[in-house]
Amino acid sequence: MKVLIAEDDAVMADGLTCSLRQAGYVVDCVGTGAEADSALARGGFGLLILDLGLPEMGGLEVLRRLRARKSPLPVLILTARDGVSHRVRGLDLGADDYLAKPFALSELKARVRALARRGGAGVCGLLRHGELSYDQVGNVAEIRGTPLDLSARETDLLEILLQRAGRIVRKEQLVEHLCDWGEEVSANAIEVYVHRLRRKLEAGDVKIVTVRGLGYCLEKPKNS
Ligand code: CA
């Protein structure tokens, strides 16, 4: 699952990012409200961790715009300890949960797990296609109940393809989703990941089909 962190305090942002990456999440981090707003408009996230005190555009405005776009994305807001009015306003605007600073990273991770379990409009939870299933909380893919041995990249790739199962996913979309910001993933590297993942899926009925010139599509037999 991909998490967007919007936090302008670099130390806090680094701590959150490291902690969530260790817990197996793919993390993007932005430092202004404007950047958060445009990242959210592009989509692809399963959870937003939103500091309310952000430069350029406040966290409450980011949240208001997100909900105005009818996004069901789970949102955890971070507030100052004495920020009761902001907290109330955030919850009124559609935040799902809040943490007052300072907080323990273990508590943050527990809140993130809970929000991921609760899910948002198919963004989180269990994805299924044919004999293949993927648990977005535990990051485990299975074919007929047998777990697949996938690398982190292969897992991300599978999640993206499953979220759009039966539809074409363009190679540029994969490049964008697979790179944490600042880390390049080339189109050639995508081909290698697809090749490896395709072989690991051979035990089941789901196939990654190459749509020449366009991208890839996760397909299952017509009768299943
Ligand atoms: Ca701040």
Side-chain angles (χ1 to χ4, degrees):
M1 188 180 80
K2 196 167 183 177
V3 178
L4 179 66
I5 298 173
E7 168 62 79
D8 60 322
D9 178 328
V11 175
M12 172 75 86
D14 280 355
L16 293 175
T17 301
C18 288
S19 169
L20 290 177
R21 280 192 183 146
Q22 276 167 11
Y25 298 97
V26 177
V27 179
D28 279 352
C29 195
V30 294
T32 71
E35 286 173 316
D37 188 53
S38 51
L40 290 166
R42 283 198 298 276
F45 299 100
L47 178 74
L48 168 65
I49 297 176
L50 179 65
D51 177 35
L52 292 187
L54 289 173
E56 289 179 35
M57 182 191 296
L60 288 173
E61 177 61 13
V62 173
L63 180 59
R64 195 193 62 73
R65 289 184 182 213
L66 179 74
R67 294 306 186 220
R69 289 192 294 269
K70 305 270 184 263
S71 167
L73 183 71
V75 178
L76 174 66
I77 52 175
L78 306 179
T79 67
R81 190 175 28 178
D82 54 355
V84 179
S85 62
H86 277 133
R87 202 172 300 161
V88 170
R89 181 101 177 92
L91 293 171
D92 281 348
L93 279 172
D96 297 275
D97 200 357
Y98 70 87
L99 268 178
K101 296 177 182 179
F103 51 80
L105 285 172
S106 55
E107 183 174 13
L108 175 100
K109 282 193 274 189
R111 300 290 180 99
V112 166
R113 278 197 301 275
L115 284 175
R117 266 198 300 276
R118 204 188 301 168
V123 176
C124 312
L126 194 67
L127 300 171
R128 284 181 188 282
H129 198 58
E131 295 173 340
L132 181 66
S133 68
Y134 178 68
D135 169 4
Q136 291 181 296
V137 178
N139 299 317
V140 179
E142 296 181 340
I143 289 177
R144 295 186 303 275
T146 305
L148 298 180
D149 183 17
L150 304 180
S151 70
R153 288 273 190 235
E154 289 160 0
T155 303
D156 289 343
L157 177 62
L158 181 64
E159 183 177 26
I160 295 159
L161 290 170
L162 263 171
Q163 282 171 341
R164 297 162 176 76
R167 288 177 282 163
I168 294 169
V169 184
R170 285 179 297 109
K171 206 187 268 184
E172 308 87 81
Q173 284 178 295
L174 293 178
V175 169
E176 189 172 313
H177 278 278
L178 287 186
C179 60
D180 282 358
W181 292 2
E183 189 186 336
E184 293 289 320
V185 177
S186 69
N188 288 340
I190 296 285
E191 283 175 19
V192 174
Y193 296 133
V194 167
H195 175 73
R196 289 192 196 140
L197 182 59
R198 191 176 265 152
R199 283 173 50 182
K200 292 181 180 181
L201 295 181
E202 276 171 1
D205 62 350
V206 171
K207 291 189 170 35
I208 303 174
V209 176
T210 304
V211 185
R212 208 164 287 283
L214 287 175
Y216 302 98
C217 179
L218 199 61
E219 289 189 353
K220 62 178 178 178
K222 294 281 183 283
N223 57 1
S224 73

